Amino acid sequence: CLGRFKALETVVALELYQRERGQYPHSLDELVPGYLPELPKNVASPKLWSRKPVLEYQRLGDRYRLVAQSPLYETVRYRARQQFGPDGVYRLEELNP
């Protein structure tokens, strides 16, 4: 899925930034253009491509949270908010039946 690819691409950029600078960036803007060609869009958003929001990012000290959120996830029985991060767990979280 393109959304997971964009999230993984962003995770790699965040990890490279951290290795080179000793900390994660305060915002994703700091990754462009050195680590990413443009800000990563939340491709799961139901908005038109030109209006899709950027992935949500929050620096949490020596960790971070990267989030894609969309009501479209629920139509395929996943939670509406998917988190990606340095722990290596990039699975979509299924809704309880």
Side-chain angles (χ1 to χ4, degrees):
C1 149
L2 181 59
R4 289 179 72 189
F5 174 77
K6 284 294 185 188
L8 181 57
E9 180 180 55
T10 306
V11 166
V12 169
L14 285 162
E15 293 303 317
L16 288 171
Y17 183 101
Q18 192 278 337
R19 281 186 175 197
E20 291 179 6
R21 300 178 185 221
Q23 64 182 12
Y24 292 108
H26 292 283
S27 75
L28 293 178
D29 293 320
E30 295 176 52
L31 299 176
V32 178
Y35 300 88
L36 293 172
E38 61 186 6
L39 289 172
K41 292 187 179 200
N42 178 3
V43 298
S45 168
K47 295 182 179 181
L48 294 172
W49 186 261
S50 62
R51 295 190 176 167
K52 287 190 185 293
V54 172
L55 289 173
E56 296 174 32
Y57 170 76
Q58 182 181 16
R59 180 176 157 186
L60 306 168
D62 63 349
R63 298 183 57 78
Y64 62 86
R65 180 177 299 134
L66 188 65
V67 176
Q69 188 164 336
S70 174
L72 297 177
Y73 282 131
E74 293 178 349
T75 64
V76 292
R77 300 187 52 82
Y78 290 110
R79 295 187 191 280
R81 181 179 172 94
Q82 300 298 314
Q83 295 191 120
F84 307 91
D87 58 3
V89 178
Y90 308 110
R91 291 185 306 271
L92 295 174
E93 296 180 50
E94 291 189 43
L95 290 172
N96 292 328

